[in-house]
Amino acid sequence: MTHPEYILTLSCLDQRGIVHRVSGFLAEHGCNIIDSAQFGDAESRLFFMRVHFSLDEPGVTDERLRAEFALLADTMQLDWELRDAHAKPRVLLMVSKIGHCLNDLLFRYKSGLLPMEIPAIVSNHMDFYQLAASYNIPFHHLPLAAGAPEEAKLAQESRIIELVQTHDIDLVVLARYMQILSPRLCAALKGKAINIHHSFLPSFKGAKPYAQAHHRGVKLIGATAHFVTSDLDEGPIIEQDVERVDHSMDAETLSAIGRDVECVVLARAVKWFVEHRILQNGAKTVVFK
């Protein structure tokens, strides 16, 4: 007999007895803890916790479990979410004309490495409509001409918001979507949009960053995945990684290495999000790996 499984995430002001009271509640309601992780941040004085558990007591319904935990949460002033561990989050992918991250995410999704559903792919170009079709995923071409007026940009972003709402999207992934999102769209996607970029910023901005980096003789190439905010490329960081390079490598080789790092870093960030392992801590994140 299989039992329902849940993932509980919570944060609150650090206080004595949080783990005891939460685990005690679960035990009293016929739950068995499968995995648990917690962290107390001395700087923010906040406590974070993630618990994966099964509900083994048939007499306890989902409604009762949620209602009675809400009472406990109120007394402890918890910011919490309780999710079905087997429900796959719904992810919208966005891309422009650079497709390595999109291709990597689609392969991992199809291979079962990323437990998620992808109801749609959005792009401001047509380059990857055939790739989307090969995975039987609807492709939405929402063009935005260079130098388009603000009204056109807001209209295009309204279509994105409409797709997010229509498909009940849990996460938007900017898989090298090369458009700056408006503050309105950033606010609409707060906490549920992830971006990926090379980690040369702010040193090498603009076009051909790998050529700029090669010219300066860099020895490390990296990538950063972070939550999207209205502060360009400065949202809470989820994951980063680096690869060493040397003088023998040309700009094209650096770029190829950078693409590989970007794919891995973005895939990790998406996996941790859909497994409910990321909690925001102000301008930072707590990631229970």
Side-chain angles (χ1 to χ4, degrees):
M1 178 181 178
T2 59
H3 300 286
E5 294 184 14
Y6 295 87
I7 295 175
L8 170 67
T9 55
L10 62 87
S11 62
C12 63
L13 282 175
D14 206 351
Q15 54 196 279
R16 185 179 299 123
I18 301 171
V19 175
H20 174 73
R21 294 183 69 180
V22 171
S23 59
F25 172 92
L26 295 176
E28 292 166 4
H29 288 74
C31 300
N32 178 53
I33 294 177
I34 299 170
D35 178 70
S36 180
Q38 52 274 331
F39 170 70
D41 185 354
E43 293 183 4
S44 66
R45 297 181 60 200
L46 293 176
F47 180 84
F48 303 86
M49 188 173 184
R50 177 188 186 273
V51 187
H52 178 193
F53 66 91
S54 61
L55 177 55
D56 298 349
E57 175 55 59
V60 178
T61 64
D62 179 271
E63 292 77 10
R64 177 186 166 192
L65 183 70
R66 294 177 184 275
E68 295 186 6
F69 188 81
L71 297 176
L72 175 65
D74 285 345
T75 65
M76 300 176 65
Q77 296 185 308
L78 304 181
D79 182 6
W80 62 283
E81 291 189 73
L82 183 62
R83 305 175 180 91
D84 181 345
H86 296 301
K88 294 182 178 181
R90 298 169 63 78
V91 179
L92 175 71
L93 303 180
M94 298 181 64
V95 66
S96 290
K97 295 176 71 68
I98 303 173
H100 57 281
C101 287
L102 174 67
N103 190 54
D104 181 75
L105 289 174
L106 289 175
F107 176 79
R108 292 173 191 266
Y109 153 74
K110 192 67 172 181
S111 303
L113 300 175
L114 291 174
M116 63 188 191
E117 300 293 345
I118 305 177
I121 295 171
V122 167
S123 181
N124 53 327
H125 298 280
M126 286 293 292
D127 297 56
F128 299 111
Y129 79 95
Q130 289 180 320
L131 178 62
S134 72
Y135 284 91
N136 199 29
I137 298 174
F139 182 89
H140 299 268
H141 180 218
L142 304 181
L144 190 63
E150 186 70 12
E151 295 78 13
K153 181 176 179 64
L154 293 178
Q156 189 247 21
E157 290 189 343
S158 292
R159 286 285 292 118
I160 295 171
I161 293 173
E162 181 182 325
L163 287 169
V164 168
Q165 295 171 342
T166 299
H167 293 289
D168 195 20
I169 296 299
D170 299 295
L171 173 66
V172 173
V173 179
L174 306 185
R176 296 305 303 268
Y177 179 70
M178 309 305 290
Q179 292 288 330
I180 297 174
L181 306 188
S182 71
R184 182 190 69 155
L185 185 55
C186 289
L189 300 179
K190 183 179 180 181
K192 62 177 187 178
I194 293 175
N195 188 29
I196 183 73
H197 59 75
H198 58 79
S199 290
F200 293 143
L201 297 173
S203 299
F204 306 123
K205 297 180 180 179
K208 299 182 178 181
Y210 289 99
Q212 297 179 53
H214 176 260
H215 181 70
R216 287 290 303 276
V218 300
K219 299 297 185 274
L220 286 174
I221 284 180
T224 296
H226 63 89
F227 282 113
V228 174
T229 67
S230 56
D231 295 321
L232 184 62
D233 294 328
E234 294 185 15
I237 294 171
I238 301 168
E239 174 63 340
Q240 295 178 299
D241 206 347
V242 296
E243 288 286 345
R244 295 202 65 86
V245 296
D246 62 40
H247 63 276
S248 68
M249 301 174 181
D250 59 19
E252 186 175 335
T253 301
L254 299 192
S255 181
I257 294 171
R259 289 194 295 269
D260 289 343
V261 180
E262 289 172 9
C263 287
V264 171
V265 169
L266 182 58
R268 287 177 190 157
V270 171
K271 186 175 191 292
W272 294 336
F273 185 97
V274 299
E275 292 180 349
H276 314 298
R277 297 182 179 276
I278 307 169
L279 288 80
Q280 289 201 51
N281 180 19
K284 301 185 293 184
T285 63
V286 173
V287 182
F288 293 120
K289 300 179 184 177

